[in-house]
Each structure stands twice: as structure tokens, then as C-alpha cells.
Amino acid sequence: MATVSPRGDDWLVGGDRRAHAAERIYAAATELVARDGLDSLDIDAIAARVHCSRATVYRHAGGKSEIRDAVLSRLAARIVEEVRRQVDGLAGPDRVVTAIVVALRLIRSDPMADLLMTWLRSGSGELTESRVPAAFATELSGLAENDPAAAAWIVRLVLSLLVWPGADADAEHEMLRRFVVPAFT
């Protein structure tokens, strides 16, 4: 049975129904998270936002953890693309340090940064449970896929610098050069 909005139109008509439904659900979830925070992610609120049932949300987008990961991916997309551009052609410690420095600069300038920091300070464990940040850290720093501990360490390093920044960008860069570079040489 097609999902019909309160306006009476079938929002899943045409094209790839599963992809279209997932896209609408993830977009709605991203809007809700941007407005209310990640801890408020709720399947009923998402379903109401896209005018469908809870079952439709689960069928096309998965459960809360899958939707959370999709929202994190969407929120990180701009930052990830810019870091990719900045580390293109770099390898080893230079790539790791550049990825961290650029990510910090972009996260701090992103309007969602306050949301992320508020959520981190709340003590929610969902970010550390998500595989998304570690996957980005693996790719962007050039780590081997089989070193999840290094990726998790980089995520924690970035988060710690967001919560407890250095005196300025130069001081942070010096800390990274002194303490991170040796770990990757």
C-alpha cells in the first residue's frame, strides 16, 4: 500500500521508492536533529514529519541507530568533503595532522557545532557507539582499515580539542606535531 500524505498525494510515486522514502526520512530526521538535538531523535516525530507510519520509517530507513548514523553522515558531509580536498596527495603524519587541523577549523565554524558540543556535554554515548566518526577518521587520515583503535583515538583527540581547545590554532598545531606525529611515524 502506498504511503499517502495528509494532502492526499502519494509521496512514494515514481522512481526508486525505497531510495526516495529513505531520503525523505533522513532529511526529516536531520531537520529535527538540527532543531531539537540528537538526543531528541524519535521515530514517531520522524514519521509525523514525513506523514507516514512508524513501520514505513523502519522499513525504508531502519531503526534509530541507522537513522542516527545517516544524520551524522549528512551533518558531516560538508566537513568531510573539505577535509578530503585538503588532504588529497598527503600521506602519513602530514595527512593525519592536516586532517585533524582542518576538521577542527570546520567543525568550529559550522552552525551545528554548538548542537554537537551540547550533546557531547550531556554525556550521551551515541556518538561513540556510531561507526560513522571512526570511518571518517580512517578515510581522511589515511589509516589502514584494520586499525579501528587508531581511528577511535583520532576521533577522541578531535573531540577533546573541541571541548578543551589549545590557546590558539598555532598552539594546537604544535601539540599535534609533537604528540600525534610520533604516533604515525
Side-chain angles (χ1 to χ4, degrees):
M1 184 171 120
T3 303
V4 179
S5 78
R7 297 180 313 246
D9 58 331
D10 181 353
W11 58 267
L12 293 179
V13 169
D16 180 351
R17 292 172 60 90
R18 178 171 289 288
H20 183 70
E23 178 61 30
R24 285 200 45 168
I25 292 164
Y26 295 146
T30 301
E31 290 172 13
L32 290 170
V33 166
R35 187 187 74 205
D36 301 328
L38 200 52
D39 285 334
S40 65
L41 189 62
D42 178 74
I43 300 297
D44 289 324
I46 295 167
R49 181 90 172 189
V50 295
H51 310 291
C52 70
S53 69
R54 288 176 54 90
T56 298
V57 172
Y58 284 109
R59 183 178 330 111
H60 294 290
K64 192 172 177 179
S65 65
E66 291 89 359
I67 294 170
R68 178 207 57 222
D69 286 351
V71 168
L72 287 172
S73 294
R74 285 171 166 273
L75 297 176
R78 183 187 65 79
I79 293 167
V80 168
E81 286 308 312
E82 180 60 21
V83 174
R84 278 184 185 129
R85 195 178 69 67
Q86 296 282 331
V87 300
D88 187 37
L90 298 177
D94 287 339
R95 183 179 178 111
V96 173
V97 170
T98 300
I100 292 170
V101 168
V102 172
L104 286 168
R105 178 175 47 82
L106 294 170
I107 291 167
R108 288 174 177 150
S109 68
D110 191 288
M112 295 299 290
D114 282 341
L115 170 68
L116 176 64
M117 296 314 299
T118 300
W119 179 62
L120 288 171
R121 287 184 185 109
S122 75
S124 174
E126 289 184 20
L127 185 63
T128 56
E129 294 168 12
S130 173
R131 295 184 312 265
V132 172
F136 289 145
T138 298
E139 174 199 345
L140 298 174
S141 64
L143 295 171
E145 293 276 337
N146 60 354
D147 198 351
W153 180 72
I154 288 174
V155 170
R156 283 173 172 77
L157 176 66
V158 169
L159 292 174
S160 70
L161 287 170
L162 289 170
V163 172
W164 191 12
D168 56 36
D170 291 336
E172 284 181 348
H173 194 270
E174 178 60 19
M175 282 191 293
L176 293 170
R177 190 191 63 68
R178 280 190 64 201
F179 301 109
V180 174
V181 167
F184 292 94
T185 54

